[in-house]
Amino acid sequence: MMQAILFEKYGSPDVLQLKEVAKPTPKENEVLIKVQAAGTNPLDWHKMRGEPIVVRLTDGLLKPKDSRLGADVAGMVEAVGSAVTSFQIGDAVFGERGVGGFAEYVCVPEKVLAHKPDNLSFAEAAAVPVAALTALQALRDSGQVQAGQAVLVNGASGGVGTFMVQLAKHFGAEVTAVSSTRNIELVQTLGADHVIDYTKEQIVGNGRQYNIVLDNVGNLKASQFRRLLKPQGIGVLVGFTSLSRMLGNIVAGRWSAFRGGPTISPMLAHPNKEDMELLHELLAEGVLKPIIDRTYTLAETAVAIRYLETGRARGKVVVTVD
């Protein structure tokens, strides 16, 4: 039997609870993982709250169709499906499950897993999948980053932002990080060439423009994107503060692109084997380093999600499973 974190209705993380359920059995293309650690993500509290409305449109209007939480997992392979070829019992792995990661055991498709780098703990590995995949695909695919370009990372000290700063430097970009005073040293350590302390100065108005603007916070308006971006620049919407602002930015971005100006568009990470293997290599080589703010036990998952929801976490918040 295993204990899993579930919630019965949309609302506060206070109502999360541990439940005994049967240990899952992997399908032919799945791996059964004995979870050692699971990473928290903003998606967890969005699903928990049922906010914004698009979450309810996809997950259930009045109550959730699936009450499990937790996308990132790291642990040991305990069983494999008949069609699995990349992993065997006893392997240490990490990957993105989508839901159900806050548990003692979880089944994960082989195609979204990779072997855990030996130089990472399970907690560090669990901090990687969603955040690092989002950072990688936002820069490489949506932003089309190239060496020598100027990149602005808004929300540089968060889970996704810390990976963005490191990856942008890896791709040879000149990185400007936006953070609060207490996180300036952190983002500089990660490789930021310049830092904008949003508690003391405005992001817009210093005369600097960028090839790529990555907004992890979701507080930039379309007019600010246009002032920050070079004529053929690319703005990437990763996080959001409100659905109306995101939709407004998307419409404005398409109109700007139609007129030959900078583009502004949203992105959503898609887990896949190739990118997970690439992250494995970058982590093993020390190019990427997961930043963990706090760890909590499985029984404290509600507390972990509440802390993440404050928006003050430096890097990732991880749940460990004993």
Side-chain angles (χ1 to χ4, degrees):
M1 303 290 289
M2 75 168 184
Q3 292 180 310
I5 292 292
L6 304 117
F7 64 106
E8 301 296 337
K9 60 182 180 180
Y10 296 123
S12 167
D14 291 320
V15 301
L16 285 172
Q17 55 188 296
L18 291 168
K19 284 191 175 181
E20 290 285 345
V21 297
K23 183 189 295 186
T25 301
K27 298 177 182 178
E28 63 176 10
N29 65 340
E30 291 183 334
V31 171
L32 175 64
I33 299 174
K34 180 175 175 57
V35 181
Q36 303 294 317
T40 66
N41 292 283
L43 179 61
D44 294 317
W45 69 261
H46 283 304
K47 290 171 70 71
M48 187 74 219
R49 298 289 190 192
E51 300 172 355
I53 189 61
V54 290
V55 173
R56 297 189 182 224
L57 294 177
T58 57
D59 288 10
L61 190 59
L62 299 179
K63 64 179 182 178
K65 299 175 183 177
D66 192 333
S67 61
R68 297 173 298 167
L69 296 173
D72 294 335
V73 295
M76 302 294 295
V77 174
E78 185 153 305
V80 297
S82 59
V84 172
T85 59
S86 301
F87 306 101
Q88 59 186 1
I89 295 172
D91 284 350
V93 297
F94 72 117
E96 180 184 342
R97 171 63 178 87
V99 293
F102 300 138
E104 291 181 324
Y105 294 91
V106 66
C107 289
V108 182
E110 177 185 23
K111 64 181 181 181
V112 295
L113 284 174
H115 288 92
K116 181 184 76 66
D118 293 336
N119 59 330
L120 262 61
S121 67
F122 283 107
E124 289 173 322
V128 172
V130 169
L133 283 171
T134 300
L136 173 65
Q137 294 174 14
L139 273 163
R140 183 196 61 195
D141 303 335
S142 299
Q144 302 173 34
V145 65
Q146 297 179 28
Q149 288 186 325
V151 174
L152 177 76
V153 180
N154 187 29
S157 62
V160 176
T162 50
F163 284 114
M164 278 182 175
V165 173
Q166 295 176 78
L167 283 167
K169 290 302 297 180
H170 173 66
F171 289 129
E174 180 182 355
V175 182
T176 298
V178 180
S179 73
S180 63
T181 306
R182 74 186 186 102
N183 293 319
I184 290 177
E185 184 178 353
L186 169 64
V187 296
Q188 288 176 330
T189 301
L190 296 176
D193 300 289
H194 314 282
V195 181
I196 296 176
D197 182 348
Y198 69 82
T199 68
K200 297 180 179 180
E201 58 181 311
Q202 297 293 320
I203 301 175
V204 181
N206 57 18
R208 296 200 63 186
Q209 289 189 309
Y210 307 88
N211 301 98
I212 305 170
V213 173
L214 304 160
D215 187 7
N216 298 306
V217 182
N219 61 350
L220 295 180
K221 300 178 182 178
S223 59
Q224 293 174 308
F225 269 108
R226 286 194 292 269
R227 293 177 64 186
L228 287 168
L229 287 166
K230 294 183 178 182
Q232 301 302 315
I234 299 174
V236 184
L237 305 170
V238 181
F240 61 88
T241 52
S242 69
L243 185 60
S244 59
R245 174 166 292 183
M246 173 169 278
L247 292 175
N249 283 344
I250 293 173
V251 172
R254 289 182 177 177
W255 176 246
S256 175
F258 176 75
R259 298 179 62 185
T263 64
I264 310 169
S265 59
M267 68 83 59
L268 185 65
H270 299 284
N272 61 82
K273 189 73 170 177
E274 293 74 18
D275 283 349
M276 285 300 300
E277 292 294 344
L278 174 58
L279 291 177
H280 170 95
E281 294 176 11
L282 295 176
L283 291 161
E285 294 169 0
V287 174
L288 289 183
K289 177 184 178 182
I291 304 299
I292 297 178
D293 186 330
R294 300 182 185 182
T295 60
Y296 295 85
T297 66
L298 183 62
E300 297 172 321
T301 301
V303 182
I305 294 177
R306 285 201 302 273
Y307 176 61
L308 180 67
E309 191 177 2
T310 67
R312 309 304 298 175
R314 293 157 51 98
K316 296 286 291 183
V317 178
V318 175
V319 170
T320 59
V321 183
D322 186 358

